[in-house]
Amino acid sequence: STSGALFWALCVPVSALTIISPPSSRRDYQQLASLLANTFDAPADLILNTKNNQADQSFKSKLELLQWNMIEKSLTEEYTYKQYISTSRRMRGKKYCLLVAKECIQDDDDDQLRVRDDVVGMVEMG
C-alpha cells in the first residue's frame, strides 16, 4: 500500500542567500509561530490596511487591529508554538520533518555571509 505524504511550505521572498535547517532553539519555534500567525491568522483587512498604510482607517478596523495585537495574536502564536513543539517531540525519528529558513546577510566588515537569527520561512514534511 502507498502511504500519502504531507508537504507544506511557507517561504517569504528574501534578497540574500537562505539557509534551510531544523529548528535549533526555542526562539526558532517562537519566530515560526509568529510568522505563521501573521501570515495566515491575521484578519485579511488588517493585512491589506497595514500594507497600504492607509491613514484614514475606520474605527472598526482600528478596533480590530487593537484586538488582534493585544489579545488574539499572542494567543494564536502561543497555540501554534505549542502545536509545533508537541508534534516535533511526538514525531521525532518518524517520517516527519520540520525545517526553517533563515536569511544570510553579508557582513560589511569582512565580506562574510552571516546567518541572521530570523526565521523567514518553513517547510513541514510528514
Side-chain angles (χ1 to χ4, degrees), residues 83-124:
Q83 286 298 110
Y84 275 99
I85 291 290
S86 172
T87 302
S88 293
R89 286 182 183 149
R90 190 175 61 246
M91 300 295 283
R92 181 167 286 153
K94 298 181 182 176
K95 295 179 183 179
Y96 176 80
C97 181
L98 177 65
L99 302 170
V100 295
K102 292 186 177 185
E103 183 178 16
C104 287
I105 57 172
Q106 189 164 357
D107 190 2
D108 293 333
D109 295 338
D110 55 4
D111 291 332
Q112 296 282 329
L113 285 177
R114 306 247 188 255
V115 177
R116 272 182 44 193
D117 200 24
D118 295 332
V119 173
V120 296
M122 61 91 68
V123 175
E124 181 179 14

Side-chain angles (χ1 to χ4, degrees), residues 12 18 44-45 61 64 69 75 83 88 107 109 116 123:
V12 177
T18 304
D45 292 343
S61 65
E64 287 176 352
N69 285 328
L75 292 174
Q83 286 298 110
S88 293
D107 190 2
D109 295 338
R116 272 182 44 193
V123 175

